[in-house]
Amino acid sequence: TALRDQYRIKLSDKEKERVVERCEQAQTGLAKISLKLTSTKSTRLATYDAIIGSLSSLRALVVAKQVDPSNIELLIVEYQQKKVKFEAAVDAYQVTLDDSVQVDCKVKPEEFRAALEGVRAARKQVVSASSEISEITKSNLKTAFDTLKDRLLMGEKADGQQ
């Protein structure tokens, strides 16, 4: 009822009939998405953890070379924050998927339709969080490595002049 009110779902008799005709098939598809989401989440989180781990190792090497690691540290924090956001978005999406599958769609077509709107809204948050991580990887990671490369080269030149 809360979702129905939130999304202002009021179906005509014809729309209710159409939802009832198609809802079981839709729920089957949503259940499959829900199952796949679990493995997708764990795979992505493992990837993000690996990136954060690699950056942490790189930070240690940079510190050992006595080069300012601030850009690497900033990148690590950005990845950690976006990872938390992604995980929260996926968890919320999982809940909406599970809720949409549990609604008795034949008896409560408006509730089911509202649950679908909740699924769509939650999915947008997952896509947004994923896009933010991709953006960090594409632009911020390259910038950080370019800056690090310049700092290391400046350090080598300074060592060669002493």
Side-chain angles (χ1 to χ4, degrees):
T1 306
L3 281 176
R4 189 179 68 203
D5 293 341
Q6 178 183 348
Y7 293 109
R8 295 182 178 92
I9 302 294
K10 185 71 179 145
L11 302 176
S12 68
D13 289 341
K14 189 171 185 168
E15 290 171 321
K16 285 180 187 177
E17 201 176 290
R18 194 174 330 132
V19 169
V20 168
E21 287 173 7
R22 300 176 182 173
C23 69
E24 286 180 333
Q25 186 177 2
Q27 284 182 318
T28 301
L30 293 168
K32 287 178 184 175
I33 292 169
S34 181
L35 283 173
K36 187 175 178 187
L37 184 62
T38 303
S39 67
T40 300
K41 175 186 171 185
S42 60
T43 301
R44 289 236 185 145
L45 290 178
T47 300
Y48 301 150
D49 284 337
I51 291 169
I52 292 167
S54 295
L55 289 171
S56 296
S57 298
L58 180 61
R59 183 203 171 279
L61 293 171
V62 167
V63 168
K65 288 271 192 183
Q66 298 180 338
V67 174
D68 177 18
S70 59
N71 62 335
I72 300 296
E73 290 168 348
L74 181 62
L75 205 51
I76 291 169
V77 169
E78 279 185 290
Y79 268 109
Q80 289 169 333
Q81 290 172 340
K82 299 304 179 187
K83 178 188 162 220
V84 167
K85 183 177 179 180
F86 172 79
E87 190 169 11
V90 170
D91 289 344
Y93 185 40
Q94 186 74 57
V95 168
T96 62
L97 284 166
D98 294 344
D99 289 349
S100 69
V101 171
Q102 293 172 5
V103 171
D104 186 347
C105 62
K106 298 254 185 214
V107 177
K108 300 178 181 177
E110 288 179 336
E111 297 284 332
F112 177 68
R113 184 74 179 272
L116 280 180
E117 293 302 321
V119 166
R120 289 182 183 122
R123 183 179 182 282
K124 284 181 184 176
Q125 296 305 310
V126 173
V127 170
S128 172
S130 294
S131 296
E132 289 175 16
I133 291 173
S134 293
E135 185 58 35
I136 289 172
T137 304
K138 287 179 186 170
S139 63
N140 299 17
L141 192 62
K142 181 181 179 348
T143 303
F145 285 153
D146 287 347
T147 303
L148 180 61
K149 179 181 162 189
D150 292 344
R151 288 180 183 167
L152 288 168
L153 288 173
M154 285 173 32
E156 285 178 7
K157 286 179 184 174
D159 287 345
Q161 291 176 354
Q162 290 177 356

